[in-house]
Amino acid sequence: EVQLVESGGGLVQPGGSLRLSCAASGFTFSDHYMDWVRQAPGKGLEWVGRIRDKGNSYTTEYAASVKGRFTISRDDSRNFLYLQMNSLKTEDTAVYYCARDLRESAAFFDYWGQGTLVTVSS
Amino acid sequence: DIQMTQSPSSVSASVGDRVTITCRANQGLSSRLAWYLQRPRKAPKLLIYDASSLQSGVPSRFSGSGSGTDFTLTISSLQPEDFGTYYCQQAKTFPLTFGGGTKVEVK
């Protein structure tokens, strides 16, 4: 059974940092591109960024709203996905989901974690 | 960025009703579109990808159609577990973008 389990969320002050983790199991993690998607309280879904696989040099893409502040990485040996968030702003408050790409050629998300809440507030 | 516009923003329906939701993009997507259902306090669930392909395990009462800029999700006979918010998502170009959502509520 495919499982994605996020952790690392919590309360952080504006300007602070936080690292989210996503533990993957039940599939060959190294074969899949992975993404982060967030949802502010009471709002819709916002794509945050993507990391490709080793064959594509672990290249990344980011939303403009987080580029330069957030970094996505992965550890294929441990089946973990990470989101390093720096210079956090109040507008980064959201539930953060990790999601698996259905296939390499199309960024559709066939499995999602349960989400972890990040609250940026003083 | 590609803007995705869903309509209606909400719909009240009864079990057994046929429900249709539309999604319009401001640029052509070919068939690079997906539909998701998010139940309250849950993660989204993939229903349809490539505009009309049914995701494994999703009931056949869900169907998707369209290409280019105009897309439709149809639920042929609404079931109790279908209530929630539906989102479309384009996968044509980065940044990936979602529609604003359509909330399907009990009438």
Side-chain angles (χ1 to χ4, degrees):
Chain A
E1 179 193 5
V2 171
Q3 282 200 313
L4 299 170
V5 180
E6 302 94 338
S7 60
L11 176 64
V12 61
Q13 292 189 335
S17 298
L18 208 59
R19 188 177 86 153
L20 306 184
S21 299
C22 172
S25 61
F27 66 102
T28 305
F29 179 71
S30 59
D31 285 349
H32 285 265
Y33 295 6
M34 298 293 296
D35 295 69
W36 289 96
V37 177
R38 69 184 180 182
Q39 187 169 36
K43 302 297 185 182
L45 301 169
E46 180 187 16
W47 174 78
V48 172
R50 166 192 246 199
I51 187 165
R52 298 180 178 87
D53 60 4
K54 181 179 181 180
N56 288 278
S57 304
Y58 299 123
T59 53
T60 53
E61 306 283 348
Y62 296 97
S65 57
V66 307
K67 195 169 186 178
R69 301 187 299 121
F70 289 12
T71 302
I72 299 174
S73 61
R74 62 191 296 164
D75 183 342
D76 288 349
S77 67
R78 298 179 63 229
N79 293 345
F80 268 83
L81 175 72
Y82 301 104
L83 179 65
Q84 177 67 44
M85 303 184 294
N86 298 330
S87 303
L88 282 160
K89 306 175 182 180
T90 55
E91 53 263 41
D92 295 319
T93 295
V95 173
Y96 285 75
Y97 297 100
C98 64
R100 187 184 88 162
D101 281 32
L102 176 67
R103 61 175 190 264
E104 179 177 319
S105 59
F108 303 127
F109 313 125
D110 62 347
Y111 285 94
W112 299 62
Q114 85 287 351
T116 187
L117 176 63
V118 172
T119 303
V120 184
S121 174
S122 54
Chain B
D1 299 3
I2 295 179
Q3 307 302 317
M4 306 298 294
T5 303
Q6 287 182 235
S7 61
S9 57
S10 66
V11 57
S12 295
S14 301
V15 172
D17 284 353
R18 181 181 183 89
V19 174
T20 299
I21 299 168
T22 63
C23 179
R24 175 166 287 176
N26 66 350
Q27 298 178 36
L29 305 181
S30 182
S31 296
R32 296 295 184 96
L33 183 108
W35 290 96
Y36 301 86
L37 164 61
Q38 186 176 34
R39 299 184 181 97
R41 296 171 297 282
K42 296 292 188 182
K45 174 186 175 182
L46 178 64
L47 302 174
I48 301 287
Y49 63 94
D50 288 339
S52 61
S53 295
L54 192 68
Q55 170 65 354
S56 175
V58 174
S60 59
R61 62 181 179 271
F62 291 94
S63 63
S65 63
S67 67
T69 60
D70 293 301
F71 301 87
T72 300
L73 174 71
T74 299
I75 310 169
S76 60
S77 178
L78 197 68
Q79 298 302 301
E81 60 268 30
D82 301 338
F83 291 96
T85 302
Y86 290 80
Y87 293 95
C88 60
Q89 175 238 324
Q90 66 83 13
K92 184 71 164 64
T93 62
F94 290 103
L96 308 177
T97 48
F98 292 86
T102 296
K103 190 172 186 178
V104 177
E105 301 173 297
V106 177
K107 189 172 185 178

PDB file of all heavy atoms in Angstrom, chain A residues 2 11-12 27-28 30 36 41 44 50 58 61 65-67 69 71 78 80 85 90 92 98 100-101 107:
ATOM      1  N   VAL A   2       0.591   2.149  -0.929  1.00  0.00           N
ATOM      2  CA  VAL A   2       1.342   3.400  -0.999  1.00  0.00           C
ATOM      3  C   VAL A   2       0.976   4.272   0.197  1.00  0.00           C
ATOM      4  O   VAL A   2      -0.204   4.465   0.503  1.00  0.00           O
ATOM      5  CB  VAL A   2       1.021   4.150  -2.308  1.00  0.00           C
ATOM      6  CG1 VAL A   2       1.637   5.553  -2.291  1.00  0.00           C
ATOM      7  CG2 VAL A   2       1.495   3.355  -3.513  1.00  0.00           C
ATOM      8  N   LEU A  11       4.366  25.778  14.767  1.00  0.00           N
ATOM      9  CA  LEU A  11       4.294  27.237  14.855  1.00  0.00           C
ATOM     10  C   LEU A  11       5.693  27.831  14.741  1.00  0.00           C
ATOM     11  O   LEU A  11       6.619  27.394  15.440  1.00  0.00           O
ATOM     12  CB  LEU A  11       3.657  27.639  16.183  1.00  0.00           C
ATOM     13  CG  LEU A  11       3.589  29.135  16.496  1.00  0.00           C
ATOM     14  CD1 LEU A  11       2.705  29.863  15.487  1.00  0.00           C
ATOM     15  CD2 LEU A  11       3.081  29.349  17.923  1.00  0.00           C
ATOM     16  N   VAL A  12       5.850  28.806  13.877  1.00  0.00           N
ATOM     17  CA  VAL A  12       7.145  29.452  13.678  1.00  0.00           C
ATOM     18  C   VAL A  12       6.908  30.948  13.494  1.00  0.00           C
ATOM     19  O   VAL A  12       5.871  31.366  12.959  1.00  0.00           O
ATOM     20  CB  VAL A  12       7.892  28.841  12.473  1.00  0.00           C
ATOM     21  CG1 VAL A  12       7.096  29.021  11.197  1.00  0.00           C
ATOM     22  CG2 VAL A  12       9.292  29.413  12.335  1.00  0.00           C
ATOM     23  N   PHE A  27       6.033   1.805  -2.457  1.00  0.00           N
ATOM     24  CA  PHE A  27       6.330   1.929  -3.883  1.00  0.00           C
ATOM     25  C   PHE A  27       7.819   2.250  -4.031  1.00  0.00           C
ATOM     26  O   PHE A  27       8.498   2.557  -3.039  1.00  0.00           O
ATOM     27  CB  PHE A  27       5.468   3.011  -4.543  1.00  0.00           C
ATOM     28  CG  PHE A  27       5.724   4.423  -4.075  1.00  0.00           C
ATOM     29  CD1 PHE A  27       6.474   5.307  -4.845  1.00  0.00           C
ATOM     30  CD2 PHE A  27       5.217   4.874  -2.871  1.00  0.00           C
ATOM     31  CE1 PHE A  27       6.697   6.610  -4.421  1.00  0.00           C
ATOM     32  CE2 PHE A  27       5.440   6.165  -2.426  1.00  0.00           C
ATOM     33  CZ  PHE A  27       6.194   7.041  -3.202  1.00  0.00           C
ATOM     34  N   THR A  28       8.319   2.175  -5.250  1.00  0.00           N
ATOM     35  CA  THR A  28       9.719   2.472  -5.516  1.00  0.00           C
ATOM     36  C   THR A  28       9.870   3.985  -5.597  1.00  0.00           C
ATOM     37  O   THR A  28       9.675   4.594  -6.652  1.00  0.00           O
ATOM     38  CB  THR A  28      10.187   1.790  -6.811  1.00  0.00           C
ATOM     39  OG1 THR A  28       9.930   0.389  -6.725  1.00  0.00           O
ATOM     40  CG2 THR A  28      11.687   2.020  -7.011  1.00  0.00           C
ATOM     41  N   SER A  30      12.305   6.040  -5.604  1.00  0.00           N
ATOM     42  CA  SER A  30      13.305   6.635  -6.497  1.00  0.00           C
ATOM     43  C   SER A  30      12.813   6.766  -7.935  1.00  0.00           C
ATOM     44  O   SER A  30      13.388   7.518  -8.723  1.00  0.00           O
ATOM     45  CB  SER A  30      14.600   5.825  -6.457  1.00  0.00           C
ATOM     46  OG  SER A  30      14.361   4.489  -6.844  1.00  0.00           O
ATOM     47  N   TRP A  36       5.277  19.132  -3.618  1.00  0.00           N
ATOM     48  CA  TRP A  36       4.631  19.701  -2.437  1.00  0.00           C
ATOM     49  C   TRP A  36       3.497  20.615  -2.915  1.00  0.00           C
ATOM     50  O   TRP A  36       3.679  21.410  -3.849  1.00  0.00           O
ATOM     51  CB  TRP A  36       5.617  20.489  -1.595  1.00  0.00           C
ATOM     52  CG  TRP A  36       6.617  19.643  -0.874  1.00  0.00           C
ATOM     53  CD1 TRP A  36       7.879  19.332  -1.279  1.00  0.00           C
ATOM     54  CD2 TRP A  36       6.433  19.004   0.398  1.00  0.00           C
ATOM     55  NE1 TRP A  36       8.497  18.534  -0.346  1.00  0.00           N
ATOM     56  CE2 TRP A  36       7.639  18.322   0.695  1.00  0.00           C
ATOM     57  CE3 TRP A  36       5.387  18.939   1.329  1.00  0.00           C
ATOM     58  CZ2 TRP A  36       7.819  17.578   1.866  1.00  0.00           C
ATOM     59  CZ3 TRP A  36       5.565  18.202   2.484  1.00  0.00           C
ATOM     60  CH2 TRP A  36       6.761  17.538   2.750  1.00  0.00           C
ATOM     61  N   PRO A  41      -5.633  28.053   5.208  1.00  0.00           N
ATOM     62  CA  PRO A  41      -6.905  27.785   5.894  1.00  0.00           C
ATOM     63  C   PRO A  41      -8.102  28.347   5.130  1.00  0.00           C
ATOM     64  O   PRO A  41      -8.145  29.531   4.813  1.00  0.00           O
ATOM     65  CB  PRO A  41      -6.728  28.486   7.244  1.00  0.00           C
ATOM     66  CG  PRO A  41      -5.258  28.495   7.470  1.00  0.00           C
ATOM     67  CD  PRO A  41      -4.640  28.673   6.118  1.00  0.00           C
ATOM     68  N   GLY A  44      -8.076  27.407  -1.440  1.00  0.00           N
ATOM     69  CA  GLY A  44      -7.864  26.340  -2.395  1.00  0.00           C
ATOM     70  C   GLY A  44      -6.444  25.801  -2.367  1.00  0.00           C
ATOM     71  O   GLY A  44      -5.640  26.141  -1.505  1.00  0.00           O
ATOM     72  N   ARG A  50       8.364  20.946  -7.182  1.00  0.00           N
ATOM     73  CA  ARG A  50       8.550  19.570  -7.646  1.00  0.00           C
ATOM     74  C   ARG A  50      10.029  19.234  -7.677  1.00  0.00           C
ATOM     75  O   ARG A  50      10.861  20.097  -7.927  1.00  0.00           O
ATOM     76  CB  ARG A  50       7.981  19.447  -9.043  1.00  0.00           C
ATOM     77  CG  ARG A  50       8.376  18.203  -9.800  1.00  0.00           C
ATOM     78  CD  ARG A  50       8.012  18.275 -11.259  1.00  0.00           C
ATOM     79  NE  ARG A  50       7.007  17.308 -11.577  1.00  0.00           N
ATOM     80  CZ  ARG A  50       6.750  16.887 -12.817  1.00  0.00           C
ATOM     81  NH1 ARG A  50       7.403  17.382 -13.837  1.00  0.00           N
ATOM     82  NH2 ARG A  50       5.823  16.013 -13.033  1.00  0.00           N
ATOM     83  N   TYR A  58      17.720  15.219 -10.392  1.00  0.00           N
ATOM     84  CA  TYR A  58      17.027  15.791  -9.231  1.00  0.00           C
ATOM     85  C   TYR A  58      16.709  17.278  -9.436  1.00  0.00           C
ATOM     86  O   TYR A  58      16.726  18.063  -8.479  1.00  0.00           O
ATOM     87  CB  TYR A  58      17.858  15.633  -7.955  1.00  0.00           C
ATOM     88  CG  TYR A  58      18.153  14.197  -7.570  1.00  0.00           C
ATOM     89  CD1 TYR A  58      19.469  13.759  -7.407  1.00  0.00           C
ATOM     90  CD2 TYR A  58      17.122  13.290  -7.356  1.00  0.00           C
ATOM     91  CE1 TYR A  58      19.737  12.449  -7.041  1.00  0.00           C
ATOM     92  CE2 TYR A  58      17.384  11.973  -6.984  1.00  0.00           C
ATOM     93  CZ  TYR A  58      18.697  11.560  -6.832  1.00  0.00           C
ATOM     94  OH  TYR A  58      18.956  10.260  -6.462  1.00  0.00           O
ATOM     95  N   GLU A  61      11.503  22.525  -9.621  1.00  0.00           N
ATOM     96  CA  GLU A  61      10.685  23.642 -10.091  1.00  0.00           C
ATOM     97  C   GLU A  61       9.987  24.212  -8.864  1.00  0.00           C
ATOM     98  O   GLU A  61       9.643  23.469  -7.942  1.00  0.00           O
ATOM     99  CB  GLU A  61       9.615  23.183 -11.093  1.00  0.00           C
ATOM    100  CG  GLU A  61      10.122  22.391 -12.278  1.00  0.00           C
ATOM    101  CD  GLU A  61      10.779  23.238 -13.330  1.00  0.00           C
ATOM    102  OE1 GLU A  61      10.648  24.488 -13.266  1.00  0.00           O
ATOM    103  OE2 GLU A  61      11.419  22.656 -14.235  1.00  0.00           O
ATOM    104  N   SER A  65       5.967  32.262  -5.658  1.00  0.00           N
ATOM    105  CA  SER A  65       5.754  32.750  -4.299  1.00  0.00           C
ATOM    106  C   SER A  65       6.750  32.191  -3.291  1.00  0.00           C
ATOM    107  O   SER A  65       6.904  32.744  -2.194  1.00  0.00           O
ATOM    108  CB  SER A  65       4.321  32.406  -3.844  1.00  0.00           C
ATOM    109  OG  SER A  65       4.103  31.007  -3.924  1.00  0.00           O
ATOM    110  N   VAL A  66       7.427  31.091  -3.643  1.00  0.00           N
ATOM    111  CA  VAL A  66       8.364  30.468  -2.697  1.00  0.00           C
ATOM    112  C   VAL A  66       9.784  30.380  -3.248  1.00  0.00           C
ATOM    113  O   VAL A  66      10.707  30.023  -2.497  1.00  0.00           O
ATOM    114  CB  VAL A  66       7.892  29.056  -2.287  1.00  0.00           C
ATOM    115  CG1 VAL A  66       6.466  29.094  -1.769  1.00  0.00           C
ATOM    116  CG2 VAL A  66       8.037  28.062  -3.426  1.00  0.00           C
ATOM    117  N   LYS A  67       9.970  30.688  -4.517  1.00  0.00           N
ATOM    118  CA  LYS A  67      11.290  30.545  -5.133  1.00  0.00           C
ATOM    119  C   LYS A  67      12.299  31.419  -4.421  1.00  0.00           C
ATOM    120  O   LYS A  67      12.040  32.588  -4.131  1.00  0.00           O
ATOM    121  CB  LYS A  67      11.206  30.918  -6.612  1.00  0.00           C
ATOM    122  CG  LYS A  67      12.405  30.479  -7.424  1.00  0.00           C
ATOM    123  CD  LYS A  67      12.144  30.644  -8.910  1.00  0.00           C
ATOM    124  CE  LYS A  67      13.267  30.065  -9.738  1.00  0.00           C
ATOM    125  NZ  LYS A  67      13.010  30.163 -11.196  1.00  0.00           N
ATOM    126  N   ARG A  69      13.256  30.973  -1.396  1.00  0.00           N
ATOM    127  CA  ARG A  69      13.064  30.791   0.044  1.00  0.00           C
ATOM    128  C   ARG A  69      12.901  29.319   0.421  1.00  0.00           C
ATOM    129  O   ARG A  69      13.319  28.913   1.510  1.00  0.00           O
ATOM    130  CB  ARG A  69      11.826  31.561   0.521  1.00  0.00           C
ATOM    131  CG  ARG A  69      11.870  33.045   0.268  1.00  0.00           C
ATOM    132  CD  ARG A  69      10.676  33.768   0.925  1.00  0.00           C
ATOM    133  NE  ARG A  69       9.393  33.315   0.407  1.00  0.00           N
ATOM    134  CZ  ARG A  69       8.432  32.782   1.158  1.00  0.00           C
ATOM    135  NH1 ARG A  69       8.596  32.639   2.451  1.00  0.00           N
ATOM    136  NH2 ARG A  69       7.278  32.416   0.611  1.00  0.00           N
ATOM    137  N   THR A  71      13.342  25.111  -0.492  1.00  0.00           N
ATOM    138  CA  THR A  71      14.177  24.167  -1.232  1.00  0.00           C
ATOM    139  C   THR A  71      13.635  22.760  -1.044  1.00  0.00           C
ATOM    140  O   THR A  71      13.421  22.318   0.094  1.00  0.00           O
ATOM    141  CB  THR A  71      15.629  24.219  -0.755  1.00  0.00           C
ATOM    142  OG1 THR A  71      16.143  25.541  -0.915  1.00  0.00           O
ATOM    143  CG2 THR A  71      16.490  23.246  -1.558  1.00  0.00           C
ATOM    144  N   ARG A  78      16.653   6.559   1.805  1.00  0.00           N
ATOM    145  CA  ARG A  78      15.792   6.457   2.974  1.00  0.00           C
ATOM    146  C   ARG A  78      14.317   6.647   2.635  1.00  0.00           C
ATOM    147  O   ARG A  78      13.457   6.588   3.519  1.00  0.00           O
ATOM    148  CB  ARG A  78      16.213   7.484   4.029  1.00  0.00           C
ATOM    149  CG  ARG A  78      17.616   7.306   4.559  1.00  0.00           C
ATOM    150  CD  ARG A  78      17.964   8.376   5.591  1.00  0.00           C
ATOM    151  NE  ARG A  78      17.085   8.267   6.757  1.00  0.00           N
ATOM    152  CZ  ARG A  78      16.430   9.294   7.300  1.00  0.00           C
ATOM    153  NH1 ARG A  78      16.559  10.501   6.786  1.00  0.00           N
ATOM    154  NH2 ARG A  78      15.656   9.124   8.358  1.00  0.00           N
ATOM    155  N   PHE A  80      12.735   9.443   1.628  1.00  0.00           N
ATOM    156  CA  PHE A  80      12.239  10.669   2.233  1.00  0.00           C
ATOM    157  C   PHE A  80      12.272  11.827   1.244  1.00  0.00           C
ATOM    158  O   PHE A  80      13.211  11.972   0.460  1.00  0.00           O
ATOM    159  CB  PHE A  80      13.074  11.051   3.460  1.00  0.00           C
ATOM    160  CG  PHE A  80      12.540  10.495   4.751  1.00  0.00           C
ATOM    161  CD1 PHE A  80      12.853   9.204   5.119  1.00  0.00           C
ATOM    162  CD2 PHE A  80      11.724  11.252   5.569  1.00  0.00           C
ATOM    163  CE1 PHE A  80      12.366   8.668   6.306  1.00  0.00           C
ATOM    164  CE2 PHE A  80      11.233  10.739   6.761  1.00  0.00           C
ATOM    165  CZ  PHE A  80      11.556   9.436   7.133  1.00  0.00           C
ATOM    166  N   MET A  85      12.059  25.336   4.420  1.00  0.00           N
ATOM    167  CA  MET A  85      11.378  26.622   4.270  1.00  0.00           C
ATOM    168  C   MET A  85      12.110  27.675   5.094  1.00  0.00           C
ATOM    169  O   MET A  85      12.205  27.552   6.324  1.00  0.00           O
ATOM    170  CB  MET A  85       9.921  26.495   4.732  1.00  0.00           C
ATOM    171  CG  MET A  85       9.149  25.412   3.993  1.00  0.00           C
ATOM    172  SD  MET A  85       7.408  25.354   4.456  1.00  0.00           S
ATOM    173  CE  MET A  85       7.543  24.845   6.150  1.00  0.00           C
ATOM    174  N   THR A  90       3.851  35.260   6.982  1.00  0.00           N
ATOM    175  CA  THR A  90       2.534  34.871   7.505  1.00  0.00           C
ATOM    176  C   THR A  90       1.687  34.201   6.419  1.00  0.00           C
ATOM    177  O   THR A  90       0.906  33.294   6.707  1.00  0.00           O
ATOM    178  CB  THR A  90       1.784  36.082   8.073  1.00  0.00           C
ATOM    179  OG1 THR A  90       1.693  37.095   7.068  1.00  0.00           O
ATOM    180  CG2 THR A  90       2.511  36.633   9.298  1.00  0.00           C
ATOM    181  N   ASP A  92       2.581  32.114   4.336  1.00  0.00           N
ATOM    182  CA  ASP A  92       2.980  30.715   4.134  1.00  0.00           C
ATOM    183  C   ASP A  92       2.204  29.771   5.054  1.00  0.00           C
ATOM    184  O   ASP A  92       2.359  28.549   4.957  1.00  0.00           O
ATOM    185  CB  ASP A  92       4.479  30.536   4.383  1.00  0.00           C
ATOM    186  CG  ASP A  92       5.342  31.283   3.383  1.00  0.00           C
ATOM    187  OD1 ASP A  92       4.996  31.265   2.174  1.00  0.00           O
ATOM    188  OD2 ASP A  92       6.349  31.877   3.798  1.00  0.00           O
ATOM    189  N   CYS A  98       2.621  16.441   0.754  1.00  0.00           N
ATOM    190  CA  CYS A  98       3.500  15.878  -0.265  1.00  0.00           C
ATOM    191  C   CYS A  98       2.643  14.994  -1.177  1.00  0.00           C
ATOM    192  O   CYS A  98       1.625  14.441  -0.737  1.00  0.00           O
ATOM    193  CB  CYS A  98       4.656  15.085   0.338  1.00  0.00           C
ATOM    194  SG  CYS A  98       4.212  13.616   1.273  1.00  0.00           S
ATOM    195  N   ARG A 100       2.706  12.340  -4.867  1.00  0.00           N
ATOM    196  CA  ARG A 100       3.459  11.575  -5.851  1.00  0.00           C
ATOM    197  C   ARG A 100       2.928  11.855  -7.248  1.00  0.00           C
ATOM    198  O   ARG A 100       1.708  11.912  -7.458  1.00  0.00           O
ATOM    199  CB  ARG A 100       3.328  10.073  -5.547  1.00  0.00           C
ATOM    200  CG  ARG A 100       4.197   9.183  -6.396  1.00  0.00           C
ATOM    201  CD  ARG A 100       3.940   7.716  -6.107  1.00  0.00           C
ATOM    202  NE  ARG A 100       2.845   7.191  -6.937  1.00  0.00           N
ATOM    203  CZ  ARG A 100       2.635   5.897  -7.141  1.00  0.00           C
ATOM    204  NH1 ARG A 100       3.439   5.011  -6.571  1.00  0.00           N
ATOM    205  NH2 ARG A 100       1.627   5.490  -7.881  1.00  0.00           N
ATOM    206  N   ASP A 101       3.846  12.013  -8.189  1.00  0.00           N
ATOM    207  CA  ASP A 101       3.444  12.183  -9.580  1.00  0.00           C
ATOM    208  C   ASP A 101       2.994  10.855 -10.173  1.00  0.00           C
ATOM    209  O   ASP A 101       3.659   9.822 -10.005  1.00  0.00           O
ATOM    210  CB  ASP A 101       4.590  12.750 -10.402  1.00  0.00           C
ATOM    211  CG  ASP A 101       4.746  14.244 -10.224  1.00  0.00           C
ATOM    212  OD1 ASP A 101       4.458  14.736  -9.124  1.00  0.00           O
ATOM    213  OD2 ASP A 101       5.165  14.921 -11.176  1.00  0.00           O
ATOM    214  N   ALA A 107       2.343  15.879 -14.715  1.00  0.00           N
ATOM    215  CA  ALA A 107       2.340  16.205 -13.293  1.00  0.00           C
ATOM    216  C   ALA A 107       0.939  16.141 -12.713  1.00  0.00           C
ATOM    217  O   ALA A 107       0.343  17.168 -12.375  1.00  0.00           O
ATOM    218  CB  ALA A 107       2.953  17.580 -13.078  1.00  0.00           C
TER     219      ALA A 107
END
